[in-house]
Amino acid sequence: MRVVARDVLRAVRERDAYANLVLPGLLRERKLSGRDAALATELTYGACRSQGLLDAVIADCAGRPVTEIDGALLDVLRLGVYQLLRTRIGAHAAVDTSVALVRSEFGGGKAGFVNAVLRRAAERTSEEWVDRLAPADPLGHLAFEYAHPTWIAQAFADALGARAGELRDVLAADDARPAVHLVARPGEISAEELALVTGGEEGRWSPYAVYLDGGDPAKLEPVREGMAAVQDEGSQLVALALTRAPLDGPDGGRWLDLCAGPGGKTALLGAIADIDGFHVDAVEPAEHRADLVRQATRSMPVTVHVADGRDTGLTPGYDRILVDAPCTGLGALRRRPEARWRRRPSDVRDLVTLQRELLTAAWDLLRPGGVVVYSTCSPHLPETVSVVADIARRTGATQLDTRDLLPGVPDTGDGPGAQLWPHRHGTDAMFLAALRKP
């Protein structure tokens, strides 16, 4: 279990791999299941999420910055300190198993160093380490306590606005293991049937959502047979908002997903379009991601185009267009455990430029009276309300009250855009806004 977790951390550090892509393959390859797989998953994702806090403790105990510690040792130290501070695993077991990992690969000298660092780390509780090492200012203290870079905590506080007092709840929700959400394919299976078959629970907001308590969804028969897929309920709500938005004039059934890869939202749109006799064009610039879209939309009325969304060459006149734009992903950090430590504030400027260009391209492809829904899996204001306000100002777009497109979903903000939150809705922190062309 710990060897698997160590190997994933190593892949993340050495190859910039994604933990949530590497781990499932290793679990299958090494035939781990049940409680062993659950522990390996908890250690892997927990150590990735908590990296900033763990590194501060390691540096204090080692008397040197983590940049001066051999990477292979650092992986084991992060696993060991995570077990000491954030699990119920006994200190003795956490230290001994970590030391054994190092001794088996590097011998006694380096094992002694790891032993010394972990024994110092074990001298304090997690709360005592936070009190000792966290910044004094309230926001910095919260960010450290819940293992977030300060700039991301600040971005969440800004997006919460007058309700910035909820910041602790947001950070805590972001730091917890998220539930698995399934989407029932319209026309194939209902959410009620999917919940019965899988032992899950019907979702609160999307009529197609089912919540699972755990396990490997890839092993479920409805998922294997293409009747259901893994998809956050917030992403389902984005696709549904596009289908619900009121048009001026009839819906001619020409829909476009301008940023389609890897295909989750496209597949939901395609299934709904199939029921109504409509058609979806899907644009994705990367061939390997376009393949994922094709696989997700097999037997649906979906045509995949490998093209840059800013210059597709498609004929204008679409009734509905989804722009689920590339973004910082700050709203989905709980599902991508290492992402919070990879993103930089400097990433935002180039992404905002791309987001504006994609939304402008969508606007040019939209028919008069048609609607474009813009969404990001980030609540960061420069990527959300600022992008939408800029386009609305330049084009004269009518901003629809997007909250009306999420019937029954409370607490989505002051409008006209809508913001979902993990601590309020149990979804990723998706932002969405709907613009109609005069």
Side-chain angles (χ1 to χ4, degrees):
M1 299 166 288
R2 291 172 175 84
V3 174
V4 167
R6 189 271 318 271
D7 290 349
V8 178
L9 293 192
R10 186 172 289 181
V12 169
R13 178 179 51 78
E14 291 182 346
R15 298 189 277 114
D16 274 348
Y18 295 98
N20 64 329
L21 298 182
V22 175
L23 178 63
L26 275 183
L27 292 176
R28 285 192 293 271
E29 179 188 309
R30 300 186 189 174
K31 296 181 170 55
L32 287 188
S33 60
R35 292 176 63 180
D36 289 346
L39 179 57
T41 302
E42 165 64 15
L43 296 183
T44 301
Y45 291 167
C48 285
R49 277 196 304 267
S50 309
Q51 184 181 307
L53 170 71
L54 302 178
D55 284 1
V57 173
I58 291 166
D60 191 82
C61 294
R64 68 182 84 160
V66 292
T67 51
E68 294 178 13
I69 297 174
D70 179 86
L73 301 185
L74 185 58
D75 297 333
V76 177
L77 285 169
R78 285 169 173 165
L79 274 177
V81 175
Y82 178 76
Q83 291 172 76
L84 289 169
L85 302 187
R86 293 204 155 192
T87 73
R88 295 178 181 175
I89 293 168
H92 185 72
V95 173
D96 283 2
T97 53
S98 301
V99 170
L101 271 180
V102 174
R103 182 176 287 115
S104 66
E105 190 172 4
F106 299 108
K110 292 183 177 180
F113 168 72
V114 167
N115 183 55
V117 171
L118 292 180
R119 288 193 180 283
R120 286 191 198 111
E123 290 170 1
R124 291 182 172 86
T125 65
S126 180
E127 293 76 16
E128 288 167 344
W129 277 116
V130 169
D131 289 343
R132 174 179 169 86
L133 299 175
D137 67 287
L139 187 134
H141 193 283
L142 268 183
F144 183 86
E145 181 180 352
Y146 290 100
H148 282 69
T150 304
W151 76 272
I152 292 179
Q154 183 65 63
F156 289 168
D158 292 344
L160 287 165
R163 295 176 65 171
E166 295 177 18
L167 180 60
R168 178 182 289 275
D169 295 334
V170 176
L171 297 177
D174 223 21
D175 218 24
R177 179 173 65 91
V180 175
H181 292 178
L182 297 181
V183 59
R185 289 270 181 262
E188 296 281 348
I189 192 171
S190 70
E192 182 182 15
E193 291 166 333
L194 182 60
L196 284 170
V197 170
T198 60
E201 175 191 349
E202 287 184 67
R204 288 181 293 172
W205 320 120
S206 162
Y208 306 114
V210 168
Y211 309 149
L212 291 185
D213 197 29
D216 183 357
K219 293 180 178 176
L220 297 170
E221 187 177 351
V223 174
R224 289 203 315 270
E225 294 187 359
M227 294 188 291
V230 176
Q231 186 177 44
D232 184 79
E233 190 173 19
S235 293
Q236 297 176 41
L237 292 173
V238 168
L240 289 170
L242 181 70
T243 69
R244 293 165 174 163
L247 308 177
D248 280 340
D251 192 337
R254 246 191 114 202
W255 298 358
L256 172 63
D257 186 347
L258 197 63
C259 309
K265 296 181 185 70
T266 322
L268 183 50
L269 290 173
I272 294 170
D274 198 16
I275 293 168
D276 293 329
F278 294 166
H279 184 271
V280 180
D281 283 304
V283 173
E284 168 54 48
E287 178 60 51
H288 71 283
R289 284 170 65 85
D291 260 343
L292 295 175
V293 181
R294 291 186 194 103
Q295 291 167 29
T297 58
R298 275 195 304 265
S299 76
M300 295 180 188
V302 175
T303 304
V304 180
H305 307 266
V306 181
D308 188 321
R310 295 168 292 186
D311 184 20
T312 60
L314 295 171
T315 304
Y318 286 94
D319 300 280
R320 302 178 189 274
I321 301 178
L322 175 62
V323 181
D324 181 40
C327 67
T328 54
L330 301 190
L333 296 179
R334 62 199 187 128
R335 298 195 188 276
R336 301 183 183 108
E338 71 289 316
R340 68 188 70 180
W341 308 110
R342 284 188 177 159
R343 280 296 183 198
R344 298 286 178 269
S346 55
D347 297 339
V348 176
R349 186 176 62 183
D350 288 346
L351 282 166
V352 166
T353 299
L354 175 60
Q355 290 157 357
R356 286 178 174 164
E357 290 170 350
L358 287 165
L359 191 47
T360 300
W363 192 254
D364 293 340
L365 290 168
L366 195 66
R367 72 160 173 85
V371 170
V372 59
V373 166
Y374 172 81
S375 69
T376 59
C377 55
S378 170
H380 198 16
L381 294 177
E383 303 181 78
T384 57
V385 292
S386 297
V387 169
V388 173
D390 176 65
I391 293 293
R393 190 187 71 251
R394 289 196 284 113
T395 62
T398 303
Q399 282 206 61
L400 304 180
D401 193 331
T402 317
R403 297 171 299 178
D404 295 341
L405 310 181
L406 304 174
V409 185
D411 249 355
T412 56
D414 299 328
Q419 179 65 60
L420 301 170
W421 289 101
H423 69 295
R424 291 184 197 165
H425 308 106
T427 67
D428 291 343
M430 302 292 301
F431 169 84
L432 57 158
L435 302 170
R436 191 166 58 210
K437 198 170 198 172

